Amino acid sequence: MKKTFLAIIIVFTSSVLVAQSTDTVMVGNMYYSPSSLTIESGDQVVFVLVDGVHDVNFETSSLTGVSFDNPSQVESIPMQSLEGLMGSITFDAPGVYNYDCSGYGHASGGMVGSITVMASVSVSNTVVDVIINSDDHTTLE
C-alpha cells in the first residue's frame, strides 16, 4: 500500500509536460492556407512559401493603413521569393492576430489571414489536488 501511494505521489507531483503543437500555413499565389487558424497559447505556426513573392505582415493593414493592433508584438516575416520555409512564430498571448501580404494588390485580392490563440488550460496536479479530487482517498482527505 505504501509503495502504491508513493508511486501515485511521484507521478502526480512530477511536472506534466504539455506538448506544444506546430501548425503550418502555406503561402501561395494570392492565398494563405488555411487563412483562419485556431491554436493554443504556446503553439508555433510555420509559414511555407509555395509560389510567388510574398510576406506575412502583422503590423499595419495593407487595406486600411491602420495598425492590426494584435494582442502582442509579432515580428513580420519579410518579403520572400524562394520556395520553402519563410519563418516560424510562437504565439504566447491569447487573442486574435490579423495579418496580410503587403505586396501591391495582394491583400485587396484576398491575401489576408488570422490566427486565434486560445489560452492554454492549466492542469493542477499537486498532491492535495489529487487527494481532494479522488474518490479513493476520502479518508486521507
Side-chain angles (χ1 to χ4, degrees), residues 55-93:
D55 66 357
V56 185
N57 164 40
F58 284 94
E59 295 166 16
T60 304
S61 169
S62 299
L63 295 172
T64 65
V66 176
S67 170
F68 281 123
D69 198 25
N70 288 322
S72 69
Q73 179 70 30
V74 176
E75 186 81 24
S76 293
I77 298 174
M79 196 68 69
Q80 296 178 31
S81 60
L82 294 176
E83 294 178 7
L85 178 66
M86 296 178 75
S88 63
I89 300 170
T90 300
F91 292 86
D92 294 320

Side-chain angles (χ1 to χ4, degrees), residues 3-129:
K3 288 183 181 179
T4 304
F5 185 68
L6 182 59
I8 291 172
I9 289 175
I10 290 171
V11 168
F12 285 108
T13 58
S14 62
S15 304
V16 174
L17 297 175
V18 179
Q20 308 300 292
S21 68
T22 301
D23 291 279
T24 302
V25 173
M26 305 307 284
V27 181
N29 192 17
M30 304 303 281
Y31 69 86
Y32 293 110
S33 180
S35 61
S36 178
L37 186 61
T38 299
I39 63 173
E40 287 191 17
S41 177
D43 286 356
Q44 182 180 61
V45 178
V46 174
F47 294 86
V48 177
L49 184 63
V50 177
D51 59 28
V53 179
H54 305 288
D55 66 357
V56 185
N57 164 40
F58 284 94
E59 295 166 16
T60 304
S61 169
S62 299
L63 295 172
T64 65
V66 176
S67 170
F68 281 123
D69 198 25
N70 288 322
S72 69
Q73 179 70 30
V74 176
E75 186 81 24
S76 293
I77 298 174
M79 196 68 69
Q80 296 178 31
S81 60
L82 294 176
E83 294 178 7
L85 178 66
M86 296 178 75
S88 63
I89 300 170
T90 300
F91 292 86
D92 294 320
V96 177
Y97 294 79
N98 292 298
Y99 60 93
D100 65 18
C101 180
S102 64
Y104 179 77
H106 291 197
S108 61
M111 199 165 179
V112 297
S114 68
I115 298 171
T116 302
V117 179
M118 308 298 288
S120 296
V121 177
S122 176
V123 177
S124 180
N125 60 352
T126 66
V127 173
V128 174
D129 291 329

